[in-house]
Amino acid sequence: MHFSTETGHPTLADLFLTPPAAVESSALDAIEQAADRVLGEIGIRFQDPDSIERLKAAGGAVEGDVVRLDGPGLRRIIRASAPERFLLRARNPARDTPVGGAGAPVFAPVYGAPDVLADDSVRQRGTLGLYERLVAECHLSPALGNTGQMICVINDIAEADRPLQMLRAHLSFSDKPFMGTVASAAATRDIIDLTAQAVNRPAAERECNLLHLINCTPPLTYWESPLQCLRVVAEAGEASMVSSYMMMGATGPATAAGALIQGYAEVLAGMALAQLWRPGAPVVMGILAWPFDMRSMLPNFGDPVSQSIQLHAGALGRRLGVPVRADGAVTSAKVDDAQAGADGGRVLSAAVSSRAGFVLHAAGWLEQGRCISIDKLRRDAAMISRSCFPAALPCEPPLPLDAAIDAEIRDRLSGGRGRGTA
Amino acid sequence: MHFSTETGHPTLADLFLTPPAAVESSALDAIEQAADRVLGEIGIRFQDPDSIERLKAAGGAVEGDVVRLDGPGLRRIIRASAPERFLLRARNPARDTPVGGAGAPVFAPVYGAPDVLADDSVRQRGTLGLYERLVAECHLSPALGNTGQMICVINDIAEADRPLQMLRAHLSFSDKPFMGTVASAAATRDIIDLTAQAVNRPAAERECNLLHLINCTPPLTYWESPLQCLRVVAEAGEASMVSSYMMMGATGPATAAGALIQGYAEVLAGMALAQLWRPGAPVVMGILAWPFDMRSMLPNFGDPVSQSIQLHAGALGRRLGVPVRADGAVTSAKVDDAQAGADGGRVLSAAVSSRAGFVLHAAGWLEQGRCISIDKLRRDAAMISRSCFPAALPCEPPLPLDAAIDAEIRDRLSGGRGRGTA
């Protein structure tokens, strides 16, 4: 943590960073060894022939759509080329954010909420108008270094148009970095191209413009679309956040140790595949798991077992040399009450202590993520600012979007849509 | 953290403990060296001639009531005899709790609240009736291993009678361990004697019956009464929680590093003095600091800078080989809202991550500790149970208090009061 009130004896500078959680290396060894057994004896299902071929060429043993893999070999592939830290760039160079390394994490808002609770406390389905407002809110918040993606679902726009509409909102109402789409391989490529035009600076090694949420579908499966998106993203030199988001007792083991083992096996395979498509492609590792309540049939967001899992995921990532993802102020609470506060405060503490590089769902989350609240987004952002943001960026309006790019997006949305999403 | 849902691969057992915060040893070196300069060049004010004599005999340089001390020497004294772990015993041996070492911390309720918010949400001045109810609440909570002391102020009883009335409440409405009084040296001795009768088992080395809150009065001063109590406590082989509770910018430096340095110097002196009075007397180290808001003239409980201070205090204590104190679910919020939840959740996370041995103010705290809420006590206790309590103790009524001891307390309260508090 950095604190602006510090006036600083230089030899004490390291005091102002939250110490990382010190996990026993024997525990990490045990997780790695068990994950290697899962990879070698059970394998991972890849629902995409190209990915299977690529893994086979790298030594994987293919049987149907299951590939049995060599864990230590995957770690060697990742360590050989995946960057420990990379620069996620913005339309406004002053807003570029490093991801990974020793600094404070990058915080991004909720991803994927169907509903929005606006500040008149009326809950409504997400719309384009609300989406634009949410991007503007995130832009104004010094705590949020990234305006995310699919902050809410845009229910009033045809699904095929949503990636471009979201792009236009992120580019028009903010000049901070944001996340890419994974709606389809074609849409992913489309958004990568347009964003590159908007950023309009040549990218050096370990620099990119978009971070993409590439989800494994636990247990031990990658679906076709995320695999195709992963390839597009990696080959473009853009960043993938390869994540296993487990429901403990449903899509993952009920125990913390079991979830760590399964999740680590899953994300090792995905991150190595990204390196095989293009060595050096930035990846962020996410191993997240929440207990699943068999009575409510809902995950129990905020349960402390997940804090322990996050602390271990952070240590596994440091050992591997890749930035790590964390959850932010998540909760199962339906309103922003003491439970929401306590859950979010503890999960945020674990995110910071785990030395995560990127915190998704950092602010605004209510009710298992089914709703984003603008009031809570502001409260969570204030908590993040007080907790670990080194220095507030000046709160300025975004630079105006280049008219040609705006016209290009509008053009693709009306007549020329086929070009992008065909 | 331990989770009862774990079924456990034994080699993964260490997964289920929250990793301690890993503080850079260079940062700890810097704090120690700076504290040694404070001790050696400025010294500590002791407002008690006996304490000054004792420190002088151990090599301190006395000038008026200020004693300049040798920091490395104080650490040697503490390391030579203070236990890393001790057993705090109860009237019911099944309720004995270890303090320090690798297990979960002991959690105790708020200490010192003038007001009580009972569950009809009416705020009232603390009374004996409410005190008894608070002890019973703490007894019923599996999260709280200790029923504390002065949970609320007993405003309806004469001050001189309060230590005995509190003792009677802790012994009658619970059979868990509790804390001693520091109202005066005589009262401290009185309560130690009566508690020993109630526990009624010979104490081995590193076993005691009461933990006493011995406060430094920062900056760099110990008042007369805590010093006299410290001597009584140590000579009886009972435990002292030697604490510096700083208001950053008022009674301590405004920076985290400065507060750690001042606080460490202060508690080193107090803990060493306890060892000089009786080598081996159990001590718990508390370095706590909250930013002081010059506009409201109130401390800002819940500010994240204090989490960082706690993590470093934990590491300093491990290095010294003594158990460490932490704050629990504290907040500046006046009601148990999202702010109270978030503040408490984060402070509790830091307490657990710092590997504290004893968490005071763990549950019930509202409004800078000026009020204890029974509803919040229950909510905080539930959060603690979910966060880090290994196994719930059976929730049973307390063993009946021995009639002779009850009669003895009653006797001292009526006619024979002079015996105890003279």
Side-chain angles (χ1 to χ4, degrees):
Chain A
M1 294 186 193
H2 293 271
F3 296 95
S4 55
T5 52
E6 299 300 344
T7 49
H9 189 306
T11 64
L12 293 175
D14 40 3
L15 275 184
F16 314 132
L17 279 169
T18 297
V23 179
E24 292 293 326
S25 66
S26 60
L28 301 180
D29 291 343
I31 295 167
E32 284 182 357
Q33 286 156 18
D36 291 349
R37 279 191 62 196
V38 171
L39 288 162
E41 295 176 18
I42 305 172
I44 306 277
R45 170 163 288 139
F46 294 88
Q47 300 186 331
D48 170 56
D50 292 346
S51 300
I52 292 172
E53 279 310 304
R54 192 64 199 82
L55 289 163
K56 190 177 174 184
V62 177
E63 193 173 320
D65 57 0
V66 171
V67 187
R68 291 201 307 280
L69 294 155
D70 172 49
L74 299 182
R75 286 195 289 280
R76 274 194 299 273
I77 290 169
I78 295 164
R79 287 201 180 106
S81 56
E84 207 159 350
R85 176 188 165 107
F86 63 91
L87 191 71
L88 194 52
R89 304 184 312 162
R91 196 155 69 74
N92 178 351
R95 307 279 191 192
D96 289 355
T97 53
V99 175
V106 173
F107 295 92
V110 169
Y111 189 117
D115 293 349
V116 179
L117 198 65
D119 41 7
D120 51 4
S121 289
V122 174
R123 182 162 167 161
Q124 39 197 317
R125 304 273 283 162
T127 62
L128 181 58
L130 285 165
Y131 197 88
E132 292 171 343
R133 195 166 149 207
L134 285 164
V135 173
E137 282 283 343
C138 295
H139 180 76
L140 290 172
S141 166
L144 303 179
N146 191 292
T147 61
Q149 176 70 191
M150 208 197 289
I151 314 175
C152 71
V153 177
I154 303 183
N155 294 285
D156 60 343
I157 299 283
E159 211 162 333
D161 288 344
R162 290 178 194 169
L164 281 167
Q165 288 285 11
M166 288 191 281
L167 175 70
R168 187 161 178 260
H170 286 280
L171 289 175
S172 308
F173 293 90
S174 174
D175 57 18
K176 291 182 180 180
F178 53 95
M179 293 175 70
T181 187
V182 289
S184 67
T188 301
R189 192 176 295 118
D190 212 19
I191 301 301
I192 287 173
D193 292 345
L194 286 162
T195 306
Q197 289 177 44
V199 171
N200 198 25
R201 287 177 280 158
E205 280 296 297
R206 293 184 288 282
E207 291 186 359
C208 62
N209 306 324
L210 288 168
L211 175 63
H212 300 78
L213 182 53
I214 303 293
N215 275 327
C216 173
T217 303
L220 303 176
T221 301
Y222 281 87
W223 284 357
E224 184 182 29
S225 176
L227 288 171
Q228 292 176 345
C229 292
L230 177 68
R231 180 177 184 173
V232 168
V233 170
E235 289 182 341
E238 295 292 334
S240 298
M241 191 152 67
V242 179
S243 302
S244 171
Y245 209 99
M246 289 164 278
M247 300 295 123
M248 299 164 75
T251 63
T255 66
L260 278 160
I261 291 161
Q262 178 187 309
Y264 187 60
E266 290 165 341
V267 298
L268 268 188
M271 291 189 296
L273 185 54
Q275 300 310 305
L276 291 172
W277 290 128
R278 173 163 165 168
V283 289
V284 176
M285 182 182 95
I287 303 174
L288 306 107
W290 296 99
F292 193 79
D293 183 326
M294 289 299 186
R295 272 184 295 197
S296 64
M297 294 303 279
L298 288 168
N300 188 359
F301 286 104
D303 191 286
V305 71
S306 305
Q307 294 178 244
S308 181
I309 290 169
Q310 179 62 40
L311 297 176
H312 286 85
L316 287 167
R318 280 195 296 282
R319 195 179 248 218
L320 198 57
V322 294
V324 168
R325 168 187 171 188
D327 276 347
V330 303
T331 180
S332 291
K334 291 185 172 59
V335 292
D336 191 18
D337 58 2
Q339 182 201 343
D343 287 347
R346 284 185 289 98
V347 180
L348 185 77
S349 293
V352 175
S353 294
S354 78
R355 285 281 171 91
F358 197 92
V359 181
L360 191 60
H361 309 313
W365 174 292
L366 275 180
E367 198 186 335
Q368 287 97 9
R370 293 194 292 198
C371 185
I372 179 165
S373 153
I374 293 180
D375 280 349
K376 184 166 186 285
L377 186 132
R378 292 174 185 160
R379 185 183 68 70
D380 290 336
M383 176 165 71
I384 292 165
S385 288
R386 285 172 58 211
S387 288
C388 50
F389 220 62
L393 280 176
C395 195
E396 282 167 3
L399 301 175
L401 177 59
D402 181 73
I405 292 166
D406 192 40
E408 169 77 13
I409 298 172
R410 281 172 185 277
D411 175 57
R412 295 200 194 189
L413 274 168
S414 50
R417 183 193 307 157
R419 263 171 62 192
T421 56
Chain B
M1 295 185 195
H2 292 273
F3 296 94
S4 53
T5 52
E6 300 298 345
T7 48
H9 190 306
T11 65
L12 293 174
D14 41 3
L15 274 185
F16 315 131
L17 279 169
T18 296
V23 181
E24 292 295 325
S25 66
S26 60
L28 302 180
D29 291 343
I31 296 167
E32 285 183 358
Q33 286 156 17
D36 291 351
R37 279 191 63 195
V38 171
L39 288 162
E41 296 176 17
I42 305 173
I44 307 277
R45 170 162 288 140
F46 294 89
Q47 301 186 331
D48 170 55
D50 291 346
S51 299
I52 292 172
E53 278 311 303
R54 192 65 198 81
L55 289 164
K56 189 177 174 185
V62 178
E63 194 174 321
D65 56 1
V66 172
V67 186
R68 291 202 307 282
L69 294 155
D70 172 50
L74 298 181
R75 286 195 289 281
R76 274 194 298 275
I77 289 168
I78 296 164
R79 287 200 181 106
S81 57
E84 206 160 352
R85 177 187 164 104
F86 62 90
L87 191 71
L88 193 53
R89 305 184 309 163
R91 195 155 70 75
N92 179 350
R95 306 281 190 190
D96 289 355
T97 52
V99 176
V106 173
F107 294 92
V110 169
Y111 190 118
D115 293 348
V116 179
L117 197 66
D119 41 8
D120 51 3
S121 288
V122 174
R123 182 162 169 163
Q124 39 197 313
R125 304 272 285 162
T127 62
L128 180 58
L130 285 166
Y131 197 88
E132 291 171 345
R133 200 171 142 202
L134 285 164
V135 172
E137 282 283 342
C138 295
H139 180 75
L140 289 173
S141 167
L144 303 179
N146 191 293
T147 61
Q149 176 70 192
M150 207 196 292
I151 315 176
C152 70
V153 178
I154 303 182
N155 294 285
D156 60 343
I157 298 282
E159 210 163 333
D161 288 346
R162 291 179 194 167
L164 281 168
Q165 288 286 10
M166 289 191 280
L167 174 71
R168 192 164 174 255
H170 285 280
L171 288 174
S172 306
F173 293 89
S174 175
D175 57 18
K176 291 182 180 178
F178 53 95
M179 294 174 69
T181 187
V182 289
S184 67
T188 301
R189 191 177 293 117
D190 212 20
I191 301 301
I192 287 173
D193 292 345
L194 287 162
T195 306
Q197 289 177 44
V199 171
N200 199 26
R201 287 178 278 156
E205 280 297 295
R206 293 184 287 283
E207 291 186 359
C208 62
N209 305 324
L210 288 167
L211 176 62
H212 300 78
L213 182 54
I214 304 293
N215 276 326
C216 172
T217 303
L220 303 176
T221 301
Y222 281 88
W223 284 357
E224 182 181 32
S225 177
L227 287 171
Q228 293 176 346
C229 291
L230 177 69
R231 179 176 185 174
V232 167
V233 170
E235 288 183 342
E238 294 294 333
S240 297
M241 192 152 67
V242 179
S243 302
S244 171
Y245 208 99
M246 290 164 278
M247 301 294 122
M248 297 163 76
T251 63
T255 67
L260 279 160
I261 291 161
Q262 178 186 312
Y264 186 61
E266 289 165 341
V267 299
L268 269 187
M271 291 189 296
L273 185 54
Q275 299 310 306
L276 291 172
W277 290 128
R278 174 164 165 170
V283 287
V284 176
M285 183 183 93
I287 303 175
L288 306 108
W290 296 99
F292 192 78
D293 182 326
M294 289 298 186
R295 271 184 295 196
S296 64
M297 294 301 281
L298 290 167
N300 188 359
F301 285 103
D303 192 286
V305 71
S306 306
Q307 293 179 245
S308 181
I309 291 169
Q310 180 61 39
L311 298 176
H312 286 85
L316 287 167
R318 279 195 297 282
R319 194 178 248 220
L320 198 57
V322 294
V324 167
R325 169 188 171 188
D327 276 346
V330 302
T331 180
S332 290
K334 292 185 170 60
V335 292
D336 192 17
D337 58 2
Q339 181 200 342
D343 287 347
R346 284 184 288 98
V347 180
L348 186 76
S349 293
V352 175
S353 294
S354 78
R355 285 281 172 91
F358 196 92
V359 181
L360 191 60
H361 310 313
W365 174 291
L366 275 180
E367 198 187 333
Q368 286 98 7
R370 293 193 294 200
C371 185
I372 179 166
S373 152
I374 292 179
D375 281 349
K376 183 166 187 285
L377 185 131
R378 291 175 183 158
R379 185 183 67 71
D380 290 336
M383 175 166 71
I384 293 166
S385 287
R386 286 171 59 211
S387 288
C388 51
F389 219 60
L393 279 176
C395 194
E396 283 168 1
L399 301 175
L401 177 59
D402 181 75
I405 292 165
D406 192 41
E408 169 78 14
I409 297 172
R410 283 172 182 275
D411 174 59
R412 294 199 194 189
L413 274 167
S414 50
R417 181 195 310 158
R419 264 171 63 192
T421 54

